[in-house]
Amino acid sequence: MKRWMSLVFLLVVSGCGSNEETQELSLSTEPIDVEIQPISEAVVGEEITIETLVTQEDYPVEDAQAVEIEIRFEGQSEGALFPAENDGEGLYRSTHTFAEAGVYEIQSHVTARGMHVMPVQKLQVEE
């Protein structure tokens, strides 16, 4: 019995020594900060990259559970959702090609560390 308890204790203690900084940030009560990076230009038929930066207490969030980009015409309540891939350093990217000119709303849906943040940015797509 003693040997079994020693093994359990060893497993519990060895599991606690992982990256303390990551553990502290993931347990932080500070909100995550989500910023859609500015898009300088969008033209019908040309692919653009939409980047979302996710941080918490000025540190990149690499462990977001979900990051999706919603694209809709300005004023619409719902649009199309596209997954964003983790590109490192808290940056999540998705690409899109617009079929029509107009004003769009780009909204990032980020779920990370028990929080959900959804910033919106307008984008003018030209012919």
Side-chain angles (χ1 to χ4, degrees):
M1 176 78 169
K2 277 186 175 181
R3 184 174 181 182
W4 181 80
M5 289 182 66
S6 295
L7 181 59
V8 170
F9 178 75
L10 179 62
L11 289 173
V12 170
V13 169
S14 64
C16 293
S18 62
N19 189 342
E20 291 178 20
E21 184 176 311
T22 302
Q23 285 179 339
E24 286 178 23
L25 288 175
S26 64
L27 297 175
S28 175
T29 57
E30 290 296 314
I32 59 172
D33 186 34
V34 179
E35 296 177 33
I36 301 170
Q37 301 301 293
I39 300 168
S40 60
E41 169 177 57
V43 177
V44 170
E46 292 183 13
E47 184 177 82
I48 63 162
T49 300
I50 301 165
E51 299 176 326
T52 299
L53 180 62
V54 184
T55 58
Q56 185 179 39
E57 296 181 16
D58 295 326
Y59 291 97
V61 172
E62 298 288 331
D63 59 350
Q65 288 81 14
V67 179
E68 295 179 305
I69 306 298
E70 182 177 4
I71 300 174
R72 61 183 176 262
F73 276 108
E74 182 179 35
Q76 288 184 329
S77 59
E78 291 183 25
L81 284 173
F82 302 94
E85 299 294 323
N86 184 346
D87 214 20
E89 299 296 317
L91 201 58
Y92 296 80
R93 290 189 172 134
S94 183
T95 59
H96 187 73
T97 302
F98 292 92
E100 294 181 54
V103 178
Y104 289 83
E105 293 175 339
I106 309 296
Q107 184 168 30
S108 289
H109 294 262
V110 177
T111 303
R113 301 180 179 175
M115 298 170 228
H116 188 74
V117 179
M118 306 181 320
V120 178
Q121 181 182 95
K122 290 186 182 184
L123 176 64
Q124 176 70 47
V125 177
E126 303 291 335
E127 283 289 332

